[in-house]
Amino acid sequence: MTESVGEPRAEERRIRRVRVLLGIAAVGVVAQAAGLWAARPGGLLLVARVADHPLLFGWVTAGALVAAALAGLRRTAWRVLVGVLAGAGALVAVPVSLMLVLFSLPWPETTVDRAAPERSDRRLVVEEGADMIDPVSWVSLDTGSGLAVRRWPLACFNGDDPGDALTEAAWDGPHRIRLVSGEGGTARTQYVDVDPATGRPGPAEGRGLC
């Protein structure tokens, strides 16, 4: 039996499609790794904002791998098996993903973005949002400028507890940050020293991290 001219072309298109899908999956894996790397203390802020989305890139990677399997497998039985397993996984993953997105709303809002005295390359940043249902304040230190800005998480305050709610975040000099939580007799003041040379904040011991 002779092979028709269209068959090699169809095979080439199938191989090309599989390669593209595997490439998309690889990009998703690389993006997730870059996001995890940038989300660490002192990581690059721009990379974290672009790549630190594990839910999004997880779905991109999984979807591309499933599509590559469906396009690459020749036997119908294997394609049916992959489709059934992917559908079963989606029945669990989709509701969980929606719950995670809903619980992360509203997105954090920046309420403080203040440069250190005489140091425009160091900024105190406070973001307010919610952790599940509790109001939360995240305090960070941004060092550097332009594309090289690095973010150092300093503390997290849960506003559901009046004694832990953040009431003030300010510079106490060019190399020191003052954080005040609670009010009146329950007020607590903490100080964070910043290395004058590197901009790295001191240890997080004693500060509320959540």
Side-chain angles (χ1 to χ4, degrees), residues 149-193:
V149 172
R150 295 182 178 274
R151 171 154 292 185
W152 302 88
L154 299 180
C156 176
F157 298 88
N158 191 331
D160 189 54
D161 179 5
D164 189 50
L166 179 67
T167 54
E168 183 186 15
W171 288 97
D172 197 54
H175 310 302
R176 202 180 200 196
I177 295 172
R178 182 177 67 255
L179 303 176
V180 181
S181 57
E183 296 181 346
T186 62
R188 180 187 180 194
T189 302
Q190 305 172 71
Y191 294 94
V192 181
D193 293 320

Side-chain angles (χ1 to χ4, degrees), residues 42 67 69 75 106 122 125 138 146 148 168 204:
R75 298 185 61 177
R122 295 176 186 176
V125 179
W138 294 275
E168 183 186 15

